[in-house]
Structure formats: C-alpha cells, structure tokens
Amino acid sequence: MTTAHNSSRLHWLPFIVAATFFMEYLDTTIIATALPQMAQSFKIGPNELSLGMTAYMLTLAVFIPISGWVADRLGSRTVFAWAIVVFTLASVLCGISSNVFEFTSARILQGMGGALMVPVGRLIVVRNTSKDKLMKAISTITWPAIVAPVVGPSLGGFITTYFSWHWIFLINVPFGLAALSAVLALVPNERSSEKRPLDLVGFFLSGLALTSLLYGTELASHTEVRLIEAFLFIGVGIVLGVLSYRHGMRSPHPLLDYSTLRVKTFSATIVTGSFTRIGIEAVPYLLPLMFQIGFGLSAFQSGLLLLASAVGNLGMKIFTTRILQRFGFRRVTLVNGSIAGVFVLACGLLMPSTPVAFVLLTIFVYGLARSMQFSTLATLAYADVTEAQKSAASTLWSVAQQMTIGMGIAFGALGLRIASYFNGGSSDVDGIPHFSMMDFHWAFAMAGVLILLSVLGYRGLARDAGSNLGGGMRSASATRPTGR
C-alpha cells in the first residue's frame, strides 16, 4: 500500500516540475511584448526598461550555480517550495510596480526564485526517476522550455492588447499557489548525507564569469552598442570561466563539479549540445523580426505564423520516446540535428512572396526538429551519470541551458549586424541599422551552418549511447540472431 502510494506520488513529479518550468520560461519570453506599454506607464523610454530584463538574467547567472549546494544542504522540497514562493511573490511585486526602480528590484528577486526553481526541480525528477522511465520524465519537463519561447510573444501581445501589462505578472499567482500545494503534498524532501562546505571562491568565479558572458552577449544584441564593448565583456567572461574550471578541477568540494564532463554522454550534451542549442535558439529571435521588418506583418500576424512552430514542438512530444527507442540516441542526434540545420537554412530562404502554406510547413518542421533535439539532449545527459553526480550534473546542465538561451539571441542579433555591415546596410540618425531581407538570409545561414557543424560532434558518441535508458531498444532487438 505504501509502495503503491509512493509510486503514485512520484508519477506526478515530472508534471509538477513542468508546470513550474512553464511559469518561469513563459515569464522570461512574454515580457518583451509588454515593454512599450510598461515604459509608457513608467513615463520612461523602452531602452531604460530593459534594465529590468538584464537584471533578471544576471541574477539567474549568479545564483544557478549555487542551487545544487543549497538543495543538498536544506532539502530539495524545502528549496523548491521556497523558490516558488519567492518567484510568485516577486511576480506580484512586478505587477504592482510604479517605477523602474521598483520593477528592477522585483525582477532581481524573481531571478533569485527562478535560479533555484528550475535546477532544483530538474534535480528532484532525476533523483526520483528510474533509468527505464527517465526518457519519458525528461521529455515531460523539457516541453516548457521548447514551447514557451514560441507561445510567449503571442500570449504577451494578447494580454497587453486586451488587458494590461500588469496581468503578465499577476497571472503567475494562481499557478504559483497551485504548484506550491502540489509540491508540499507530493514532493519528497531529500538532502545529501555529505555536508559539503560552500565553495566561496567557486561561487564568485562562476558568478562573475556567467554574469560577464551573459552581459556581453546581451550587449551584442543591441545595435546601438559597439561590438568591441560586448566582446570585451565576453573575453573577460571566458578568462574567468577558465579560472572557474581550473579551480573546480582542483577543489575537493567544488560548487560546479566539472569532473562530470568526463562522462562522454554528458559532455556531448553540454559542449556539442550547447553549439546546437545556440543555433536553434537564434530562430525565435530572427523569425519575428523577419516577418515584421522583411514581410511587413504586424506583431500579432507574426505571432500567428510562429504558432506553427509551437504545434510542431508539442506534436513531436507524442513520438519522442518511441523514436529514441527505435533508432537510438546517436542516430537521432545526427539525423535530427541535420534536419534542424537544414530547415533553419530554409527559414532564411523564405520571402514575402512565398506561399503561406510553405512558410507554415517550414516553421512546423523546424518546430518538430527543435523539440526532438532538445528532448534527446536533455535525456541523454543523465544516461551515464552516477547517483552521486546527479546534483552536480543537474546544476551544470542548468547553467549551460541558461547560457545558450541568451547566446542564441545574441548570435542571431550578431548575425544580422555582420550581414548588414557586409551588405552595405543603411542606418537612421541614431545609428540603428535598417535590415534587409538579404541580411536575414545570411543570419539564418550562419545559424544553420553552426547547427550542421555541431552535428559532427555527435559522431563521437558510442552506437549504444543511452541504451540503458531504453534508446535503440527495438533496433537492437531487431539485429539479434533469430536462430534460423
């Protein structure tokens, strides 16, 4: 009776964590559409309000690395529940803000909650899911990160148009309360038996490295900022990152345990997978711009077209597990990664005269490939990670995922700037460039080529990589001798 009850509780964990992930990821993507209305409400320019978005992103960079240590010390359910409380409370404060200072302060608090909520939630699922069920569980908790960037702008535009920007944050309240109730009722409170001391040197090195890298990539996405300034921050971030790595490999109790990168399947998802994700994450930034600037569509019309990607993302979830079971992780990363790269290139070939049906088909297939690749990498990451390494692996995975989201946007923006420069693009009196369709073609080409080049890195995976999770089960059984 007790075993059945515990099994039932554990069954709901991926869905609870997925709900909190969706709340956090949607909040990150939805806010961009509300900036003009918020700026008008605060009586400032939209550029000044971007400080709130930057503050949130940098807070994530600082506190994500410490999430694993806090969960091990205080208990995963305790930290997860408090993270939801902080995130929900900060959402209310964002929604009732009357000036940019209040809003920025609330976003910093919200970033602290989000930095603990996402990594600890993933850790809870990984710790409480057996290897044979991990593929399905990871597929469940990754869909918010895949769908939210596509759905967010459309939903944000609807809320700001027909209601007010305040509701973008206030809608988190019922979701947060429901998630908190479920966490307290169903999530086990686990902590590490080993009381590791806090690695303060690692905390400062990783925090400064991630902050510098993310701030540099954020600057690169602003056309009014000189690239030399962005590259300076990125360079400093890389140097600090190297120092963080060297410290982590020498420290007896590192905050970020880089030794997990010795696990080949985990390393492939972190290193090679990051380049794949950067190329794929550039598309949600480039497509809306191309539709509005190049095609002359409204923000709402652009959002409707992007829903084709969301349909592809969600539709693929039905087949993800079966495809991995049939073909295995190595083959899927190679073939599906190539498909993703080709269709990102195809996005760059779209023109205002392209039939709508073909535009929708291209975006739909991109959504299918995006969903499949992200779910595959997120699952494969834990294939060979030991129980003792799960906390460190979950933290490092969360860091890499957060980095690639920001770098994907920056890569798309940088691609546009480079293309505009070589295509002789013009600028207005403020120095802001006017992008042409040719600029978008080249930016998509850069993203597509990056994905295709990254696919080569998956060739080093063993043919049976992830077989302990059930990957390639059917193909393996099909090749066994039948005795005939």
Side-chain angles (χ1 to χ4, degrees), residues 341-359:
V342 168
F343 273 85
V344 169
L345 291 172
C347 287
L349 299 178
L350 299 176
M351 298 289 291
S353 58
T354 304
V356 174
F358 188 78
V359 173

Side-chain angles (χ1 to χ4, degrees), residues 252-264:
H253 302 287
L255 187 67
L256 288 179
D257 187 358
Y258 296 102
S259 67
T260 51
L261 294 175
R262 293 171 181 161
V263 180
K264 198 156 191 177

Side-chain angles (χ1 to χ4, degrees), residues 176-201:
L177 292 175
L180 180 62
S181 300
V183 168
L184 295 177
L186 300 173
V187 175
N189 197 30
E190 301 167 320
R191 66 187 72 197
S192 174
S193 57
E194 179 188 5
K195 298 294 184 181
R196 294 183 297 132
L198 177 60
D199 177 17
L200 287 174
V201 174

